[in-house]
Amino acid sequence: QHERVLLGHGSGGKLSADLIQRVFLKELGNDVLSSLEDSATLALGSLEPAVDDARSGPRIAFTTDSFVVKPLFFPGGDIGKLAVFGTVNDLAVVGATPLYLSAAFILEEGFEIELLRRIVISMRHACDQAGVTLVTGDTKVVDRGKGDEVFITTTGIGLHAANHALSIRNARPGDQIIVSGTIGDHGMTIMSTREGIEFETALQSDTAPLNDLTRAMLDACPSIRVMRDPTRGGVSSTLNELATASNVGILLDEASIPVRPEVHSACEMLGLDPMYVANEGKLIVVVAEQDCQSLMKVMKQHPLGRDAAVIGNVTADHAGMVVMRTLVGGQRVVTMLAGEQLPRIC
Amino acid sequence: QHERVLLGHGSGGKLSADLIQRVFLKELGNDVLSSLEDSATLALGSLEPAVDDARSGPRIAFTTDSFVVKPLFFPGGDIGKLAVFGTVNDLAVVGATPLYLSAAFILEEGFEIELLRRIVISMRHACDQAGVTLVTGDTKVVDRGKGDEVFITTTGIGLHAANHALSIRNARPGDQIIVSGTIGDHGMTIMSTREGIEFETALQSDTAPLNDLTRAMLDACPSIRVMRDPTRGGVSSTLNELATASNVGILLDEASIPVRPEVHSACEMLGLDPMYVANEGKLIVVVAEQDCQSLMKVMKQHPLGRDAAVIGNVTADHAGMVVMRTLVGGQRVVTMLAGEQLPRIC
Ligand SMILES: Nc1ncnc2c1ncn2[C@@H]1O[C@H](COP(=O)(O)OP(=O)(O)OP(=O)(O)O)[C@@H](O)[C@H]1O
Ligand SMILES: Nc1ncnc2c1ncn2[C@@H]1O[C@H](COP(=O)(O)OP(=O)(O)OP(=O)(O)O)[C@@H](O)[C@H]1O
Ligand SMILES: [Mg+2]
Ligand SMILES: [Mg+2]
Ligand SMILES: [Mg+2]
Ligand SMILES: [Mg+2]
Ligand SMILES: [Mg+2]
Ligand SMILES: [Mg+2]
């Protein structure tokens, strides 16, 4: 047990999960918070005395993320786009229609206002693209050296459709596991931008709003069991969370996992495993075997699901563990990200 | 027009208003955002095809604030309490019942986890006191020297009762202006803690959840025109926002403005005007003259309104301006906070 915050406590892996359990859930835990879904689901009834039924009314999805990415601008995006799409995606993966966002800015004294404007314009385009409206905000300034240019916290509200029952607890043995496209693009883009590494083919962040894709998927297949965006900590950490929350095993087939050649080379050069690298515009989906092919068809018709692939299945064996059939033929256990691979990736 | 962010852009005064106009509203403006109320009001209809009416369903209030206060702990509170009560109050002053909060933490590498725990425990107590539930969160870590221990962004959802029409645009000539208690307590507490100044009587932050008081007030007097919490920028900045938004004048009577003697001395010693000093548990209220005395009675019966006072009235004259009848008999114009009086006050 660490006494001080380490960079790894922000990794999205094991240390993050430990800190959340040991401080936040321990002291603040309640049924909604402790479910650790990508968004909280809330029933908002009327508070009028005559119809005071907290269970009535629409079901709202509610989620928040802070963004501290470095550098602020990178191939394929910037902190503003991440801040809008990241929160849109946490609403989308719980099956909600994203509607409204708030944005709170912590500015460092001395930050250039024209850079701030570029970020804000990028947020407007991102809101338009995702079909959400930014309706409230806040602006604080910290003294030079006590922040880092700009941090943005977005919080989103979405509205649930009635006809789905998505939850990270819902995976069952026999279900298939799909990834919506290539993995590691965002993390390797930030990493190589930061290190000043150039590759033959330009890497680009995959940041994108997933709500149009998830809507098409849920319309076609309302019985999808789980959706999650594998952000910090990568696909490995997300699958481990899923295996734990659903109390099932996961068996992956390494050969089927889509990785761009340039991401593959960048990972080799830096000694990283793409399974632990952050994504910003990808989905992990768990679906019943009988619905898998029809869902894959819907996904592949969507620009953001063109490279979708079935990468494994859910097992009754080795509950709580993720196991991979490797390219060379053996099997290995895939754990959560243990340390801090790439600080400030989002 | 400044090219870089100044501390004053976080003051809650003139520079803050300029930056919000020139960057955020210019690039992101829409009817809800541009109204600049303490919370956005949203109609959330069902998205089901059969009843697709965005105007149906409950009216939600939605608001966000980042907290970067220094020091983290101070007489009467800490950053966690501020983060909960601050957001609760922005919901309360628009007439909503605060229900749910999110909290996003930006931690600096090296921050002590036991201090974080103390803050989180304080947030739990604050949530219990205000009757809200923290349902979702986020945790990011920045490298040493790129943050300052901990920043917290809270976002809140509340539910509007149907029977009020509060808005910063609603003040009308003849209306009375009430403050719910003594002014300047929070800001002078932070200031003197930071400067290491000791006063005979201990100063203490007034941070408190105002939703119980506002509920009692609205139950008794649903016709209240405006409520606002005079936080950063103090009572002067809030009244100037109000005068501009409602396009009315405001005439204050200095003798009637409640200031604790210890706040008064602290202000004198530091050359500050309590009208510009931040409050965290106070309300500015505008009410029709005929309802003023009954509302004052309700306020004075509540522990958080015991020292409530009528401090002035709304005029048709000098629209957009706040004028004060001073103790010595003259009149002076009270402008918005121009520079940065007290950085990182909340
Ligand atoms: N400080 C916190 N307090 C309470 N709950 C938290 C906190 N930090 C995270 N959580 C909860 O833990 C779960 C996982 O959070 P996490 O931030 O890893 O998810 P995410 O937002 O989907 O990922 P990312 O932040 O990488 O986009 C969520 O259910 C979230 O509500
Ligand atoms: N970065 C921003 N983007 C969009 N709107 C903003 C931004 N910052 C502030 N606003 C809007 O400006 C108005 C005033 O914000 P401000 O933060 O001063 O209010 P407050 O939260 O009541 O005060 P405090 O932050 O001192 O508690 C609000 O309506 C808010 O939504
Ligand atoms: Mg997520
Ligand atoms: Mg997220
Ligand atoms: Mg604010
Ligand atoms: Mg306010
Ligand atoms: Mg506020
Ligand atoms: Mg998060």
Side-chain angles (χ1 to χ4, degrees), chain A residues 3-5 27 30 45 60 65-66 110-111 113 117 124 134 138-140 143 155 159 232 344, chain B residues 3-5 22 27 30 44-45 65-66 110-111 113 117 124 134 138-140 143 155 159 232 344:
Chain A
E3 282 177 19
R4 290 180 180 272
V5 171
E27 308 299 350
N30 56 62
I60 302 295
D65 266 329
S66 288
F111 184 51
I113 291 181
R117 184 186 302 280
R124 182 187 65 213
L134 200 154
D138 185 57
T139 312
K140 296 292 187 310
D143 24 330
T155 306
L159 197 52
R232 290 178 294 162
R344 298 183 59 184
Chain B
E3 283 176 18
R4 291 179 180 274
V5 171
R22 132 185 194 217
E27 308 299 350
N30 56 62
L44 283 173
D65 266 329
S66 288
F111 184 51
I113 292 181
R117 183 187 302 281
R124 183 187 66 214
L134 200 154
D138 185 58
T139 313
K140 296 291 188 309
D143 23 332
T155 307
L159 197 52
R232 289 179 295 161
R344 298 183 60 186

Side-chain angles (χ1 to χ4, degrees), chain B residues 306-319:
Chain B
R306 241 184 352 234
D307 300 325
V310 178
I311 61 170
N313 59 275
V314 178
T315 65
D317 284 355
H318 57 81

